[in-house]
Amino acid sequence: MRRYLKLLALAGVFTIVAAACNTGGDTVTTTTPPPTDGETTAAPELQRGGTLNMAMLSDDGITYDPQKEYYSVTWSVFRCCLLRTLMSYRGAAADEGGTEVLPDLAAEPPTVSADGLTWTFKIREGVTYAPPLQDVEITAQDFIRALEREFTPEAGAAYPFYYSIIEGTDAFNEGEADTISGLTAVDDKTLEVKLTTPAGDLPFRFAMPATAPIPEGVTDGHDEDYGRFLVASGPYMFQGADLLDFTAAPADQAPVAGFDPGRAHVLVRNPSWGEGESDPLRGEFAYADEINIAIGGTEEDAAAKIDNGELDYLIDGVHPADQVQRYRTTPDLQARIFIHPSDAVRYLSMNVASPPFDDVHVRRSINLATDKDGLRRLRPGGELAGEIAEHIMVPGVLGDLLADYAPYATANGQGDIEAAQAEMAQSKYDTNGDGSCEESPECNNVLAVTDEGDPYPDQAALLSENYAPLGITLDIKQFDRGTMYDKCNDPASHTTFCLAPGWGKDYANATTFAEPLFGNASLGPDSCCNYALVGATAEQLAEWGYDAPEVPSIEDKLAECNPLQGDEQTQCFAELDQLLMEEVVPWVPYLFDNNIDIVSENVLNYHFDQFAGLGAYEKFAIASAQA
Amino acid sequence: MLRYLIRRTLFLILVLWIISVLTFLIFVKLPAGDPARRAAGRRTNERIIAQARKNLGLDKPVIVQYARFAKGLIPWPGLFLNRQVYFSYSNYVPVKEELYQRLPITITLTVGAAVLWLLVGLPIGIISAVKPRSIADRASMIFALFGVSAPVFWLGLVLLYVFWFQLGWAAGSGIPAGETLWQAILKGRFILPWVALSLAFAAFYTRMVRGNLMEVLSEDYIRTARAKGLSERRVIFRHGLRSALTPVVTMFGMDVGLLLGGAIITETVFNLPGLGRYAIQGIRGSDFPAVMGVTVLGTFFIIVANLVVDVLYAFVDPRIQLS
C-alpha cells in the first residue's frame, strides 16, 4: 500500500497549491508618469508584412466569446483585430484622441431624440464578415442578435447591466418575450434603440465588444464556446476560421485552429476585410500579416525574449524593474519604452457606516495623513508606477477638468500630520481635541483588510505608521486577492478599511467611475463594488448590522449626470468627484496607474490604445517586413 | 496470472473512485473560490451569478453533481470525460480535448527525461559500486548530492539563464505559436527541460544502484560465481545487476507514472503546455472539471505503471510469481 502514498501526495499537492493560488491577480495594470516617451507617428512608407510575436502570461478565463469577455486584454485584441462595433476608437493615446468614440460600423454618429430615449444608428454599406461568411453583409439584425445574446441566460454574458436600460431586456431575459422590444431593425442598415432612461454614454456602450454583430446561425449550439467559432469582422481572424462549417450540426463542427487555449492564439489576415474608407479607423494600418500570441512563461522570461528579439510585446505582464530601468537609461533603448496613464486608480476605501469612519472628519483626517508617495514607492516601478491621485476619477474620463484639483494636497504627497490632527480634532471621537482619537475604543484595532501579495503588506505597515499619530490603530487581515475583494464587498463583514482595491474604466466615460463604485445598486455581496457603502438605505444598514442610521448618498447627483451627454456630462461628473472628495469622502485615492510597454526592435510605429490600456496592435509595423 | 490481473484491475477502479471522491470533496466542499462567482465576473449581480451557477450545473444537489462527474469517468464512448460535464469552467473548452492535446508534450518530457536519467544514473551507479572509494566513486557521490539537493525550479532557471540567455547554446522556454511538437523537439526545446527534470532522478538512481549493487556483490552467491571462475563482467552484469535492479524497476515505474500525470514545476518553469501546467491553471481558476480530469488521469498512470512494474518483476526476478 506504501506506493499509493504517492497518490495521496498528488492530491495533497493539489490541495496545497489550490489554497496557495486561489483567485486571480491584480485587476489593475501597473505602470508611469510622463505620458508617452518618444512615441512614433504613422509613417506613410511603412510596409505591410511579417509576423507580430506577442505573449500572454496566462489565458485562464479567456474565451474570445464577445459576450463573456470582461477583460482589457481580450478587448484590446477584439478592438484592433477581430471585431468591429457600431462605434469604436482610433487606437491611440488619450492625448491623440484615443478616448473619443467614433463611428466604426456606423456610417455616421448616432442621432438621438429630444427626450434622449431613442437612438438611431445608420450602418455602413458593403461591409461583410470574415470567411467562411465573406459574402454575408452586416445588417441591423446582426446587432440585435448580439444584444439578445447578451440577455440569453445560457450565454453567460458578463456585462448585460450596461444594456439593461434598453426597453424590454428584462422581459426577454426572463423568457417572457421573444425579442427585445427596444431594438428595432428599421431596415437592413438602420438600427433603432429605445431606452427606458436617458443615457448620454450610449455611444460608448455600443463600442463594447459585446455589441459586435453576430451573423445568423453561428452561435447555435455554442452558448458556451462561441469564442472558438468566432466569425470576425475586423482586419484579422483566427487562423483556420475559413474552415468553419456552420452547415454541420454544432457538435460536429471543428473549432478554429488559431485559438488554442493554454498554448497559442494565432490571428491571420481577414481576406474580406475592406481597407480604406470601409474601415476608417484601421484601414491604413493592420501592418502585420500574422499575429501570434504565445501563452505562458514568466515576466522575466518575456523580458529576456524581448531583449533578444524572440518576442515583440508582452500583453498582460509587468516588466521587471531592472528591465524598465535599463530601457529608461540606455540611449539606444529609450525609443522602445512607452509610458502612458492606464486610466486606473488605486485607493483605500473607508466604510462610511462603520466607526470611526462614520465621522467625515476622521475620513478627511485619514486623507491628510496618508503618505501617498510612500505607497507609490512600494509598488513595482516605484515612481514610474503612476501619478499621485488627488481625486477619484482618472484624467482619461474627465480630461483636464480636475487637473489642478487637490483638496488634500500635502508636500510631495507624503502626508501632513499636523493638518490631519487639526481635522481629527473636529471629530466626535477626539473627545479632548488633541488631534488624536486614541481615547475612543472605536479608533483601536480598526478592521483593515488587504491583499496578502506584494506590495500590500508593506503598504499596510506604512499606513499603520501614518495613522498612529491620529490615535488610530489598524487590525490588518491579509487574504488572497479574491477573498479580499469578497470581504470588502460584503457589508455584513463590517470591513472598515479596505486597503488594496483598484478600479479601471470599462470605457472612456465617467459613468464607469460613478454608479459601480458609489451607487446604491452596487451594494452588497451579490453586486459590486461599492465597498464604502455610500448610499446605503437605513433598512440596508440595519439588515447588515450597522448602528449608523444613515450614510451619505450621491443618488441625486447620479440621476442628474447620467442622462447628460458630451462635455456637459463630463462637467457634471467632475462636480460629482469634488462632492465625493469633500463631502462624502469615502476613499483615499492615492495613485493613477501608468502602463509601461517595452517592445522589441522588430516593432515600428508603436501606438497605445487608450480604450484597452494596451498596445494598438494594428498599428505595430514589423521591421523585418520593411524594404 | 489472469486472476491477478483481474484483482489488480478491480483495485485500480477502487482507487480511482476514492481519488475522484477526494478530489470532488476538496473542490466542492473546500473550494478556493465560488466558480459561479468567478464566472460571473467582478462587477456582477445576483441574477448573473445565479445563471452562471445554473450554467455550470452547480445549482444541483452535491450528490447529483458528483454523480455527473463520476459518470464521466466511466471508460465508455459518450460517457468518458463527456463534454456536457467535463467542460472547462475557465475557457469553455472540453477537458478531454485539452488532455489529449497536452498529453504528448508531457509524454515527450517524461520519456526524454527518463531515458536521460537512466543513461546517466545507472552507469555512474555501477561504476561507483564496483570501484568503491575511488575517485570515480567520490565524484559520483558529489554529483548525487548536488542532484538531489538542487530543486528543479532553481536548476531550470539557472540552465535557462546560462545556456539560453547568456551563451545562446540552447533554445529558450516555451513552444512558439505555430510550432508543432516534432519541430519543437528537433529544435532542441526539450533539451534543457530534460536535463533539469532528469538530474534529480539521475542522482537518486545513482545512489540507489550503488547501494543495491554493493550489497548484492557481497552476497554468497556472487562469491560462488567468482570462485567458479566467471569473468568479473559476467558476475556483475549477469548475476549482480539483475538482482540490484529489481527495486530500481519499481521506482522507475512509479516515477514515470507520476510524471505522466504532469511534471508541474518543470512544465511551469519551461513554459511547456503539458498536463502539469493545465493542472495548475485549473487549480488557480477553481476549474473543477479540469482538475478532476488531470487528477484522475494522473492516478490512472500511476496505477497502471505499478501494474506494469509488478508484471515485469516476474521477468526481472525469477523468484517472484504473480499470484
Side-chain angles (χ1 to χ4, degrees):
Chain A
M1 232 20 208
R2 189 177 49 183
R3 70 185 63 167
Y4 293 103
L5 287 174
K6 285 209 173 184
L7 299 178
L8 294 176
L10 185 68
V13 166
F14 281 171
T15 313
I16 292 164
V17 176
C21 295
N22 193 11
T23 60
D26 238 334
T27 51
V28 178
T29 337
T30 319
T31 33
T32 200
T36 74
D37 262 2
E39 183 161 301
T40 55
T41 51
E45 69 273 14
L46 289 172
Q47 304 293 312
R48 286 183 172 161
T51 298
L52 177 62
N53 290 304
M54 307 205 288
M56 206 183 276
L57 300 183
S58 168
D59 66 353
D60 290 358
I62 287 182
T63 66
Y64 284 109
D65 184 322
Q67 272 67 47
K68 289 186 176 68
E69 289 295 350
Y70 195 15
Y71 185 30
S72 59
V73 164
T74 31
W75 287 358
S76 73
V77 178
F78 280 150
R79 188 212 58 80
C80 79
C81 305
L82 290 173
L83 298 179
R84 295 180 63 187
T85 41
L86 282 169
M87 308 296 291
S88 191
Y89 306 88
R90 54 168 59 94
D95 55 3
E96 294 179 320
T99 57
E100 188 183 353
V101 65
L102 300 164
D104 184 359
L105 284 173
E108 57 196 44
T111 57
V112 59
S113 62
D115 60 4
L117 293 176
T118 303
W119 292 71
T120 304
F121 293 88
K122 289 286 184 186
I123 297 161
R124 196 176 295 276
E125 298 279 350
V127 181
T128 62
Y129 290 101
L133 302 182
Q134 64 272 28
D135 297 327
V136 178
E137 190 164 338
I138 294 170
T139 65
Q141 190 59 43
D142 298 349
F143 297 96
I144 295 177
R145 193 171 293 113
L147 284 161
E148 286 180 346
R149 192 163 186 267
E150 189 71 6
F151 289 94
T152 299
E154 291 74 21
Y159 48 94
F161 43 81
Y162 279 136
Y163 309 100
S164 56
I165 52 169
I166 297 173
E167 188 182 286
T169 51
D170 280 350
F172 181 83
N173 181 241
E174 286 158 14
E176 295 166 2
D178 294 333
T179 58
I180 295 174
S181 59
L183 295 171
T184 307
V186 177
D187 56 46
D188 275 357
K189 295 295 175 185
T190 309
L191 174 69
E192 188 179 84
V193 182
K194 287 185 180 163
L195 307 181
T196 54
T197 180
D201 63 344
L202 196 75
F204 290 93
R205 302 187 194 206
F206 274 83
M208 303 291 275
T211 63
I214 295 177
E216 186 177 4
V218 301
T219 56
D220 294 349
H222 296 302
D223 284 337
E224 291 173 316
D225 62 350
Y226 172 54
R228 305 177 76 210
F229 300 86
L230 185 77
V231 177
S233 51
Y236 296 89
M237 61 183 191
F238 279 122
Q239 186 180 52
D242 50 329
L243 302 176
L244 288 169
D245 179 9
F246 294 110
T247 61
D252 297 332
Q253 293 171 14
V256 295
F259 175 29
D260 197 359
R263 287 173 293 278
H265 310 166
V266 181
L267 277 56
V268 296
R269 284 197 184 282
N270 165 9
S272 62
W273 174 65
E275 302 179 21
E277 290 191 358
S278 74
D279 189 344
L281 300 178
R282 309 166 192 81
E284 61 179 299
F285 306 111
Y287 290 114
D289 281 343
E290 188 171 312
I291 298 176
N292 287 342
I293 305 172
I295 310 301
T298 62
E299 284 155 344
E300 290 74 17
D301 188 44
K305 286 179 174 170
I306 288 174
D307 283 348
N308 70 16
E310 280 183 48
L311 181 67
D312 297 325
Y313 182 81
L314 173 63
I315 302 182
D316 64 344
V318 178
H319 293 279
D322 61 329
Q323 189 192 31
V324 171
Q325 179 68 9
R326 189 158 36 86
Y327 277 72
R328 290 278 295 180
T329 54
T330 307
D332 289 350
L333 299 178
Q334 283 171 348
R336 286 164 46 198
I337 183 168
F338 305 93
I339 302 167
H340 295 89
S342 63
D343 292 341
V345 61
R346 294 187 184 277
Y347 61 97
L348 317 175
S349 179
M350 295 177 280
N351 182 337
V352 297
S354 183
F357 293 153
D358 57 346
D359 185 325
V360 71
H361 296 293
V362 177
R363 303 198 295 272
R364 288 179 185 145
S365 173
I366 289 287
N367 262 282
L368 288 164
T370 301
D371 178 1
K372 297 180 179 182
D373 183 56
L375 294 176
R376 176 173 65 171
R377 286 178 184 279
L378 289 170
R379 293 205 61 79
E383 284 189 349
L384 299 178
E387 295 280 8
I388 287 177
E390 299 288 3
H391 55 92
I392 291 168
M393 299 181 192
V394 297
V397 300
L398 289 185
D400 293 332
L401 285 177
L402 297 184
D404 300 322
Y405 177 68
Y408 304 103
T410 61
N412 301 318
Q414 292 173 334
D416 183 340
I417 294 303
E418 283 186 17
Q421 287 180 324
E423 186 68 38
M424 177 62 86
Q426 301 176 54
S427 156
K428 65 183 178 187
Y429 294 108
D430 183 4
T431 54
N432 57 14
D434 66 350
S436 167
C437 64
E438 63 184 342
E439 65 275 22
S440 298
E442 291 85 352
C443 290
N444 297 322
N445 291 322
V446 173
L447 178 59
V449 167
T450 194
D451 187 332
E452 64 190 3
D454 289 336
Y456 299 104
D458 289 341
Q459 286 189 332
L462 174 65
L463 293 171
S464 291
E465 290 175 20
N466 289 171
Y467 307 142
L470 303 177
I472 291 178
T473 58
L474 302 181
D475 176 18
I476 297 165
K477 307 288 187 195
Q478 297 178 16
F479 299 97
D480 66 86
R481 194 153 187 83
T483 306
M484 178 209 77
Y485 272 127
D486 288 345
K487 299 278 184 195
C488 295
N489 197 45
D490 182 2
S493 75
H494 284 237
T495 299
T496 306
F497 210 5
C498 189
L499 303 183
W503 187 261
K505 72 176 188 320
D506 281 349
Y507 50 85
N509 185 279
T511 51
T512 63
F513 272 78
E515 183 150 354
L517 297 165
F518 307 108
N520 179 274
S522 306
L523 283 165
D526 291 331
S527 188
C528 192
C529 304
N530 185 348
Y531 312 139
L533 303 196
V534 174
T537 63
E539 292 75 25
Q540 286 174 317
L541 293 171
E543 179 191 339
W544 293 325
Y546 290 95
D547 295 330
E550 61 178 8
V551 291
S553 170
I554 60 160
E555 296 299 312
D556 291 344
K557 191 67 179 175
L558 280 175
E560 178 191 335
C561 295
N562 281 336
L564 301 175
Q565 295 176 41
D567 292 344
E568 205 180 0
Q569 188 186 48
T570 307
Q571 178 61 44
C572 185
F573 278 118
E575 292 167 10
L576 172 60
D577 195 339
Q578 292 172 306
L579 173 72
L580 283 162
M581 287 304 296
E582 294 170 35
E583 304 299 326
V584 182
V585 203
W587 283 13
V588 182
Y590 67 86
L591 193 70
F592 289 144
D593 264 358
N594 280 334
N595 180 71
I596 301 176
D597 276 341
I598 293 174
V599 297
S600 79
E601 59 188 357
N602 196 38
V603 173
L604 306 175
N605 199 42
Y606 168 91
H607 274 75
F608 182 71
D609 167 25
Q610 198 72 48
F611 161 64
L614 293 161
Y617 317 130
E618 80 276 25
K619 294 184 175 177
F620 289 13
I622 309 303
S624 59
Q626 308 308 308
Chain B
M1 177 74 170
L2 183 63
R3 278 185 63 187
Y4 175 80
L5 288 177
I6 291 172
R7 202 173 69 219
R8 291 299 299 265
T9 304
L10 290 175
F11 187 66
L12 184 152
I13 293 169
L14 176 69
V15 173
L16 280 177
W17 177 73
I18 291 171
I19 292 294
S20 75
V21 171
L22 281 176
T23 310
F24 182 80
L25 289 176
I26 288 168
F27 276 82
V28 173
K29 300 304 286 182
L30 303 169
D34 180 358
R37 187 74 173 75
R38 288 174 62 91
R42 186 173 155 203
R43 194 182 159 190
T44 185
N45 60 45
E46 200 171 352
R47 185 191 288 180
I48 296 176
I49 295 171
Q51 187 58 51
R53 200 175 305 286
K54 187 178 173 190
N55 290 351
L56 298 177
L58 300 173
D59 58 335
K60 297 179 170 61
V62 170
I63 191 71
V64 175
Q65 287 183 48
Y66 175 71
R68 294 173 75 228
F69 281 109
K71 201 165 72 174
L73 300 178
I74 299 171
W76 195 262
L79 291 181
F80 185 63
L81 296 180
N82 65 82
R83 60 176 289 145
Q84 287 74 28
V85 179
Y86 285 85
F87 208 73
S88 164
Y89 291 169
S90 175
N91 49 23
Y92 299 94
V93 176
V95 170
K96 185 159 61 176
E97 197 176 300
E98 286 283 335
L99 295 180
Y100 288 175
Q101 286 188 5
R102 288 165 183 269
L103 189 55
I105 291 169
T106 299
I107 289 175
T108 303
L109 177 64
T110 302
V111 171
V115 169
L116 202 56
W117 85 58
L118 287 182
L119 286 177
V120 173
L122 295 188
I124 294 179
I126 293 168
I127 292 168
S128 183
V130 297
K131 295 186 175 179
R133 289 178 292 280
S134 64
I135 292 177
D137 182 33
R138 306 283 187 212
S140 74
M141 285 306 99
I142 290 172
F143 160 75
L145 188 64
F146 173 76
V148 170
S149 308
V152 173
F153 66 85
W154 174 82
L155 187 64
L157 292 174
V158 168
L159 289 174
L160 274 174
Y161 180 75
V162 174
F163 292 101
W164 168 61
F165 191 66
Q166 288 296 334
L167 301 175
W169 292 353
S173 64
I175 300 176
E179 196 169 288
T180 65
L181 178 59
W182 278 113
Q183 289 170 327
I185 294 170
L186 293 174
K187 286 185 177 177
R189 298 194 186 281
F190 280 87
I191 290 176
L192 293 184
W194 282 335
V195 171
L197 183 59
S198 64
L199 189 68
F201 286 99
F204 182 69
Y205 278 60
T206 297
R207 290 183 69 102
M208 190 162 59
V209 169
R210 178 181 183 271
N212 290 345
L213 191 53
M214 286 178 76
E215 190 179 328
V216 170
L217 291 179
S218 64
E219 294 281 343
D220 290 344
Y221 74 92
I222 295 290
R223 195 180 308 120
T224 305
R226 284 180 174 139
K228 288 170 71 175
L230 295 181
S231 68
E232 190 64 13
R233 175 188 293 267
R234 194 173 173 86
V235 169
I236 291 170
F237 286 97
R238 185 73 183 262
H239 298 282
L241 205 53
R242 191 166 180 185
S243 298
L245 283 185
T246 307
V248 174
V249 171
T250 309
M251 288 307 300
F252 183 73
M254 288 174 56
D255 288 337
V256 168
L258 188 66
L259 290 179
L260 284 175
I264 291 176
I265 296 173
T266 310
E267 288 179 8
T268 302
V269 169
F270 289 97
N271 190 20
L272 297 172
L275 293 177
R277 225 180 73 189
Y278 188 51
I280 286 291
Q281 285 175 0
I283 290 167
R284 290 183 62 184
S286 298
D287 190 355
F288 175 68
V291 174
M292 181 69 118
V294 178
T295 306
V296 170
L297 193 65
T299 307
F300 175 80
F301 282 131
I302 292 174
I303 295 173
V304 169
N306 272 281
L307 185 59
V308 171
V309 163
D310 287 349
V311 173
L312 280 179
Y313 264 21
F315 298 97
V316 176
D317 189 342
R319 294 170 299 180
I320 296 173
Q321 286 189 336
L322 299 180
S323 61

